[in-house]
Amino acid sequence: MEHQNSARSVTGGSVVASSLYGSSSEHCSAVRRPSRRLSSNIVERSTSLAKLRKRSSVTNSTLTTALQPRKSMWNNLVKDDQVWDDEDDEELSNEQLSTGEAIRNAWISLQISAKEKLYVLKCHPSILLFTLILFGGLTSIGLYGVQKLAEEQENTSRQDAYDLAIDTGAWFSHALDSTLLPLFTLSQFVQQLNMFAKLPEEIGPAFQPGSLPFLPPNQNGEYTHRNATGYVCKDPGMVASFADIASIIKKDANMEGVLVNLQVAPMGTVCLIYPLKNTEDFQPPKYFDNSNSVGHDLITDPTRKFIARETVLTDDVVIAGPLSLRQCPNCDVTVKTVLYVRMAVNAFSQNHVINIDGVYYKKWGFVIALINWAELVRRSDIDERFAMRGLRYQLTRTDRNYNNTTHEFDVTVNILAGEESFELQDGDFVSVRLDTTNNEWNIKVGKNEGFKPLWKNGAIAGTFVVAFVLSFMLMIICIENQTRHDLLREMLPRKALRKIRMGKTCVEKYDVATVFFCDIVGYTTMSAEMKAIQVMKMLNEFYTEVDKIATKHKVCKIQTIGDAYMVTGGVPNRCSGPESALNVALFAIETMELAKNFLTSDGAKVIIRAGINSGPLVAGVVGTKRPQYTVFGDTVNLASRMESTSEKMRIQCSNMTYKLLRDSKANMFEFDRNDEIEVRGKGVIETWFINGIANDNTKPQSSSDNGGDTAEINSDLQLYGYSESP
């Protein structure tokens, strides 16, 4: 008889056990608790038990010896250091392990952990579904946020580029507006001084008799200049007077280096110029030679015709260019590229008319100011404006030149500043039309990578990574929580678990339940001859198979302590007394069959004995830190006695269990009557050995055939304080 006092107590009439409660157990119909009734049967039952005690062949000394606590094998193992030596299962500390072994062990641990978590996911696919939904939600929210931030920054960058373009155009407009005062002043001199009044008449309309003749056409067959030699435009007195007036206006304008020339063009033909050769606004050897401009008919010249017409047709200032001056072909490009600022001068004589496409306009002509484009660009710091912001730009001008062949204006686009090649995809730049001149100025501003923020792609990738990490971490947490929850469900019944979560005490009373005990015969001797690790392997291999049988027959495993194994029927899932006894008996028979054929991996054979008892008991949960599902009562104590007084490879049951099995209609069992034994506190009791399931179809007499059996069961229940309801 191999028991451990530290593992199981049979004193005080109770046994406390931790449960690995199978979730597959099904609820059974509850048994009605018999009512208490006092009758003469109790007295007769007590008399019969007294007679049985006297006839018992078991002496008091024998019973005392049988019920004495047995020596603990585990105490012997602790004292014997040799049993712990196991070359096959040597454990080394981290300091003793090599780096490769430590990495291999860590990898194995990681694989085991991964398999466990995959198993939980397989059992609970809702965790994976929740994780995928969470990942999708986090990803959607993250991408939405990234998209919104990117759009906001893109719009901000685009707006900054647009504003910079507008500011650039505004700067040029402001700079050009500075020329309005000189032009207005010059136009006033023209209208007030008589020496200018006769100029339109002396020049005359183009190609009209008495007018200044044209010089021969250029290589393109275009008439652009009149022959002003010997005429008023070359009169020394006229030229000197104009130079005096223009020099004062130019000086007062405070636009040195920018305002490089003032001109008057009666009838649209350039006549008087100051300075004719400009050396004061340029660093030597650069200079501006404007001698060839005298006689330039701006209304006839196809390249200037559009702007000249616009000047005549409007009362406002007309700005054109920048254009390359024809009269200074050998000048540096920074010198000969200018802006034309023109203002029409209204007629102050009846003879002052200009013919435009057959329409006569009362205009004297117009005054002209030339602006050095290179200097204006330098002062604008336009390159620095865009470079410091990492922007590319291209400033262009749209010109309209008259085509004498088609008699239409051809449109050409010329680059004024910025990059010669501006190849960006649509959306990567902004294009702004600048209201600066009568020509159409347009500026494109953009970036090589576009206005989309560079961090966008990285943020999108980061969103997926963060969403995955958060979802994965939450999935791991859910798996751990589910594992803990599953473990609690295995340890505790659902009803008990529900009460514990609500902070309630879980205690339940069962009228009739069946308790099973078994242990390994000769365990002390066997364990003394085996190493501790071998003992643990043997117990694990055997009781793992027993656990499967328990699940199969819907009985609840309460605990395993050392070599002892305990299950219950009808607890925690209530069912009738016969059904609880039937399930436990079938479990016990199959366990015995397992033991007969079982061999450990080391070739050891296991011999067990078992005991079963049925009756009332109380079950509940004890503790909060490590809650344990426990059963206790005289029924548990007597079941332990059934096992301790049983024989090798046999199942001993109490008379109560025998009667319940006899009443079972589902299965028929073969029984052997055992000698009566005496139990402390109970006296002499009758026991039976369950040999197995009967092979024939002849069922022993049941309670339905013997009306006294029911009375006997009720009488036994009365001994525990229960009685059947009337």
Side-chain angles (χ1 to χ4, degrees):
M1 295 182 291
E2 318 300 333
H3 289 261
Q4 292 76 35
N5 295 334
S6 61
R8 181 175 47 162
S9 174
V10 295
T11 61
S14 67
V15 173
V16 179
S18 64
S19 166
L20 290 176
Y21 168 63
S23 60
S24 62
S25 300
E26 298 178 352
H27 291 280
C28 303
S29 59
V31 178
R32 294 180 300 166
R33 183 169 61 184
S35 63
R36 300 172 184 255
R37 60 175 189 259
L38 300 175
S39 65
S40 60
N41 288 338
I42 298 177
V43 179
E44 294 175 0
R45 183 64 175 172
S46 299
T47 303
S48 299
L49 290 174
K51 292 178 180 180
L52 289 173
R53 290 192 192 100
K54 293 179 181 180
R55 295 196 301 266
S56 175
S57 61
V58 181
T59 63
N60 292 335
S61 60
T62 303
L63 287 172
T64 303
T65 302
L67 298 177
Q68 283 181 348
R70 288 158 291 184
K71 295 182 179 180
S72 173
M73 179 276 301
W74 299 108
N75 292 334
N76 297 333
L77 290 178
V78 171
K79 296 177 182 178
D80 189 358
D81 294 335
Q82 294 181 355
V83 301
W84 296 103
D85 296 335
D86 191 349
E87 297 178 356
D88 297 333
D89 195 19
E90 182 180 3
E91 294 185 2
L92 299 177
S93 63
N94 291 333
E95 292 78 5
Q96 294 173 308
L97 290 174
S98 65
T99 303
E101 291 174 336
I103 294 175
R104 187 176 68 86
N105 290 344
W107 174 247
I108 293 174
S109 299
L110 183 62
Q111 287 180 315
I112 294 174
S113 177
K115 289 180 180 179
E116 291 175 350
K117 289 176 173 54
L118 288 175
Y119 177 77
V120 175
L121 286 178
K122 181 179 179 181
C123 296
H124 303 279
S126 57
I127 295 178
L128 182 59
L129 178 61
F130 172 75
T131 302
L132 293 176
I133 293 175
L134 178 65
F135 175 75
L138 291 176
T139 303
S140 299
I141 294 173
L143 291 179
Y144 177 80
V146 169
Q147 183 65 25
K148 284 298 181 182
L149 290 176
E151 287 180 358
E152 182 178 352
Q153 183 169 336
E154 180 180 353
N155 292 335
T156 300
S157 300
R158 192 183 300 275
Q159 186 62 41
D160 290 343
Y162 180 84
D163 293 341
L164 183 59
I166 294 297
D167 291 342
T168 301
W171 188 92
F172 280 106
S173 294
H174 177 73
L176 295 177
D177 286 345
S178 300
T179 62
L180 296 181
L181 181 59
L183 284 180
F184 180 76
T185 303
L186 183 59
S187 68
Q188 293 299 311
F189 273 105
V190 170
Q191 292 179 355
Q192 298 298 327
L193 297 179
N194 292 330
M195 67 177 187
F196 295 105
K198 60 180 180 179
L199 292 178
E201 298 176 2
E202 293 185 6
I203 294 175
F207 303 109
Q208 295 295 324
S211 300
L212 285 180
F214 278 87
L215 293 174
N218 58 22
Q219 59 184 2
N220 296 325
E222 299 170 342
Y223 290 93
T224 59
H225 285 69
R226 298 200 194 190
N227 187 358
T229 303
Y231 290 90
V232 68
C233 293
K234 294 286 183 88
D235 181 77
M238 176 72 71
V239 171
S241 298
F242 177 76
D244 292 339
I245 296 172
S247 62
I248 295 174
I249 295 175
K250 183 176 180 298
K251 181 179 180 181
D252 291 343
N254 294 321
M255 299 178 67
E256 292 82 2
V258 176
L259 179 59
V260 295
N261 201 262
L262 291 174
Q263 303 175 358
V264 293
M267 294 298 291
T269 300
V270 178
C271 183
L272 299 173
I273 301 173
Y274 177 85
L276 195 61
K277 293 184 179 181
N278 188 344
T279 58
E280 61 189 38
D281 292 317
F282 303 96
Q283 293 291 334
K286 296 180 181 180
Y287 71 97
F288 180 24
D289 186 1
N290 209 23
S291 302
N292 292 330
S293 292
V294 178
H296 188 191
D297 194 327
L298 301 175
I299 296 178
T300 305
D301 187 348
T303 61
R304 304 292 188 263
K305 189 173 186 177
F306 178 81
I307 302 302
R309 291 187 175 198
E310 291 292 322
T311 305
V312 173
L313 297 177
T314 182
D315 293 330
D316 201 355
V317 175
V318 176
I319 302 175
L323 299 172
S324 180
L325 296 175
R326 289 187 173 185
Q327 61 268 29
C328 190
N330 298 323
C331 294
D332 189 273
V333 66
T334 59
V335 175
K336 67 179 181 180
T337 304
V338 298
L339 288 173
Y340 282 89
V341 184
R342 298 173 181 174
M343 177 183 292
V345 179
N346 292 326
F348 46 91
S349 172
Q350 294 181 353
N351 298 325
H352 298 164
V353 291
I354 297 177
N355 182 7
I356 301 294
D357 296 331
V359 180
Y360 293 91
Y361 296 90
K362 293 183 177 181
K363 301 290 182 179
W364 176 88
F366 34 85
V367 293
I368 304 170
L370 300 184
I371 304 299
N372 187 338
W373 172 248
E375 180 65 16
L376 194 66
V377 170
R378 187 189 69 80
R379 294 188 182 187
S380 70
D381 294 329
I382 186 172
D383 292 333
E384 291 76 6
R385 284 171 181 251
F386 293 98
M388 66 184 301
R389 293 171 174 81
L391 297 173
R392 298 172 56 188
Y393 82 98
Q394 185 185 69
L395 181 63
T396 60
R397 178 198 72 232
T398 301
D399 289 336
R400 291 174 174 82
N401 298 321
Y402 187 77
N403 190 322
N404 289 322
T405 303
T406 62
H407 301 290
E408 294 180 352
F409 290 98
D410 296 332
V411 177
T412 59
V413 178
N414 300 302
I415 298 174
L416 304 181
E419 300 182 10
E420 292 292 333
S421 177
F422 194 81
E423 298 177 356
L424 291 178
Q425 296 181 356
D426 293 343
D428 292 342
F429 66 91
V430 294
S431 181
V432 183
R433 179 177 177 178
L434 304 180
D435 296 329
T436 305
T437 68
N438 291 77
N439 305 86
E440 183 180 341
W441 279 24
N442 191 79
I443 186 169
K444 295 179 181 179
V445 181
K447 294 182 177 181
N448 290 329
E449 66 278 4
F451 295 108
K452 295 180 180 179
L454 298 177
W455 52 260
K456 182 177 180 181
N457 292 334
I460 291 175
T463 298
F464 281 99
V465 172
V466 171
F468 175 79
V469 171
L470 291 178
S471 301
F472 183 78
M473 291 175 61
L474 189 57
M475 182 184 72
I476 297 300
I477 293 174
C478 291
I479 290 175
E480 296 296 336
N481 287 338
Q482 187 63 51
T483 302
R484 182 176 61 84
H485 181 70
D486 291 344
L487 180 60
L488 287 175
R489 288 180 60 185
E490 291 293 328
M491 294 174 60
L492 304 174
R494 292 185 179 181
K495 186 176 181 181
L497 186 59
R498 203 160 38 241
K499 286 186 177 181
I500 290 176
R501 287 178 175 174
M502 296 173 63
K504 297 180 179 180
T505 301
C506 179
V507 178
E508 289 187 295
K509 191 176 185 181
Y510 294 87
D511 295 344
V512 180
T514 301
V515 181
F516 167 91
F517 276 99
C518 78
D519 70 354
I520 298 175
V521 180
Y523 180 64
T524 302
T525 303
M526 182 187 303
S527 60
E529 297 173 354
M530 300 169 62
K531 294 180 181 181
I533 191 67
Q534 293 174 327
V535 174
M536 294 305 299
K537 286 181 178 179
M538 176 193 69
L539 293 176
N540 183 64
E541 291 173 3
F542 179 69
Y543 283 130
T544 297
E545 296 300 321
V546 176
D547 288 342
K548 297 178 183 178
I549 299 174
T551 301
K552 173 182 176 181
H553 293 289
K554 302 178 182 178
V555 294
C556 176
K557 175 183 176 182
I558 297 298
Q559 69 171 359
T560 302
I561 302 180
D563 65 323
Y565 191 91
M566 177 185 178
V567 300
T568 58
V571 176
N573 295 330
R574 297 179 182 272
C575 61
S576 65
E579 186 175 354
S580 69
L582 173 64
N583 291 339
V584 173
L586 292 174
F587 162 77
I589 292 171
E590 190 166 346
T591 301
M592 282 295 172
E593 292 297 324
L594 171 68
K596 291 177 183 179
N597 303 315
F598 182 81
L599 290 176
T600 66
S601 58
D602 297 329
K605 188 171 180 60
V606 176
I607 299 175
I608 65 172
R609 61 181 165 211
I612 304 175
N613 182 41
S614 302
L617 55 80
V618 176
V621 178
V622 176
T624 55
K625 186 175 181 180
R626 294 182 63 186
Q628 294 181 336
Y629 189 69
T630 67
V631 292
F632 48 91
D634 288 344
T635 299
V636 181
N637 195 23
L638 185 55
S640 177
R641 295 301 185 272
M642 292 296 100
E643 177 268 322
S644 63
T645 59
S646 182
E647 298 177 0
K648 296 180 181 180
M649 300 303 294
R650 301 203 73 179
I651 306 167
Q652 182 177 228
C653 70
S654 66
N655 196 44
M656 171 66 80
T657 303
Y658 165 74
K659 293 175 182 178
L660 291 174
L661 291 175
R662 188 185 61 186
D663 289 345
S664 174
K665 296 181 176 60
N667 292 87
M668 293 176 292
F669 299 90
E670 291 181 352
F671 297 92
D672 282 343
R673 187 187 182 98
N674 192 19
D675 294 334
E676 295 177 341
I677 63 173
E678 185 173 353
V679 178
R680 184 184 303 172
K682 299 295 181 181
V684 177
I685 62 174
E686 186 179 13
T687 64
W688 301 78
F689 286 115
I690 303 175
N691 295 329
I693 301 175
N695 293 326
D696 56 12
N697 296 326
T698 305
K699 182 178 178 182
Q701 189 179 18
S702 65
S703 60
S704 61
D705 301 325
N706 187 356
D709 292 337
T710 302
E712 291 178 5
I713 294 174
N714 293 336
S715 177
D716 291 337
L717 290 174
Q718 288 175 1
L719 294 177
Y720 293 103
Y722 291 84
S723 62
E724 189 166 356
S725 302

